[in-house]
Amino acid sequence: PLRILWFSNLFRAKGLETLLAACQCLKDLGFAFDLTIAGAEGDIRKAELEMLLMAYDINGNTRYIGAVRAEERRNLFDQSDLFIFPTHYTNEAQPLVVLEAMAAGVPVITTSIATLPEFVLPDQTGWLCPPGDPDKLANTMIEATRHPARTNRLRHQARLMCETRFAHARFTKEIVKTVSAILTQSSSQPIRSKPQCPPDELEDAK
């Protein structure tokens, strides 16, 4: 079975129900999969998640393992074939969990919002789907399994991007460069004296 991973706190805005609906599509098509959901409870509690899994009829294909400690993350990624993050959160920035999956060599399918299209590049480092479209998400997951050579190429390119573009050394260098440029610019600007009021305006103020 295709081993699918969701790894985020359980918030609706992160697209969890989109993933559940997409997995229901997979099941209806007779496509074998196992879904692992990892993350602390959010506005979806464990009891509600269990009800959702039953409603989508995928409780037999899904396990919820709750919050995961930092030292357990690598094993979780190693045991996964696809990482799915169908977020529709309007204030999404740069989800670190997506970069973690890419760095671990797990192919990523996410949505085309916020900064995600800046590093999850279609046909280069992953797949993008419209938010809130479970049919498209299901088809993209199937496509990833039907073209293993392409999927393997994408995951290798994603890992390479993380090792170069998001390396600690480069991040440190860019931060130092940016701060130095700001300090240089500030020191080169003349100090302006506080404007003085003409004597007649001072008399009027009294």
Side-chain angles (χ1 to χ4, degrees):
L2 177 67
R3 300 173 299 174
I4 303 168
L5 174 63
W6 158 280
F7 189 6
S8 177
N9 292 337
L10 306 186
F11 287 104
R12 285 180 172 81
K14 298 294 184 176
L16 178 56
E17 290 187 66
T18 301
L19 174 57
L20 301 184
C23 287
Q24 183 184 46
C25 293
L26 294 180
K27 184 173 182 179
D28 291 343
L29 293 171
F31 193 90
F33 70 91
D34 288 327
L35 170 62
T36 297
I37 298 175
E41 295 176 317
D43 58 13
I44 299 177
R45 312 296 291 180
K46 181 180 178 181
E48 184 180 359
L49 175 61
E50 291 173 351
M51 293 177 63
L52 286 170
L53 295 177
M54 292 177 62
Y56 286 106
D57 194 26
I58 58 171
N59 50 309
N61 306 67
T62 307
R63 62 176 182 140
Y64 172 56
I65 61 176
V68 176
R69 293 177 297 180
E71 59 269 23
E72 299 171 333
R73 292 186 178 208
R74 182 67 202 203
N75 287 337
L76 194 59
F77 285 125
D78 287 343
Q79 296 166 8
S80 304
D81 300 314
L82 283 178
F83 177 77
I84 313 296
F85 190 71
T87 178
H88 54 84
Y89 180 47
T90 54
N91 294 321
E92 196 72 74
Q94 188 181 67
L96 293 180
V97 69
V98 175
L99 291 173
E100 284 185 86
M102 293 169 64
V106 183
V108 168
I109 302 175
T110 186
T111 46
S112 52
I113 66 169
T115 64
L116 286 164
E118 295 180 13
F119 55 95
V120 181
L121 309 175
D123 201 35
Q124 295 183 48
T125 59
W127 294 265
L128 294 174
C129 290
D133 191 339
D135 290 333
K136 176 64 176 177
L137 179 57
N139 289 332
T140 304
M141 287 191 279
I142 293 173
E143 177 188 350
T145 65
R146 287 179 174 171
H147 304 280
R150 179 190 177 200
T151 299
N152 199 43
R153 173 174 59 84
L154 264 60
R155 74 179 183 88
H156 279 297
Q157 291 177 171
R159 176 183 285 173
L160 180 61
M161 172 187 282
C162 290
E163 291 174 351
T164 54
R165 182 174 170 183
F166 296 101
H168 287 293
R170 182 183 178 191
F171 180 79
T172 303
K173 180 180 177 181
E174 293 297 328
I175 287 291
V176 171
K177 180 180 176 182
T178 301
V179 172
S180 297
I182 294 172
L183 293 175
T184 301
Q185 183 180 7
S186 299
S187 62
S188 64
Q189 293 180 350
I191 299 176
R192 298 180 180 178
S193 59
K194 185 177 181 180
Q196 301 294 322
C197 293
D200 54 342
E201 292 185 11
L202 289 173
E203 289 298 325
D204 292 340
K206 293 178 182 178

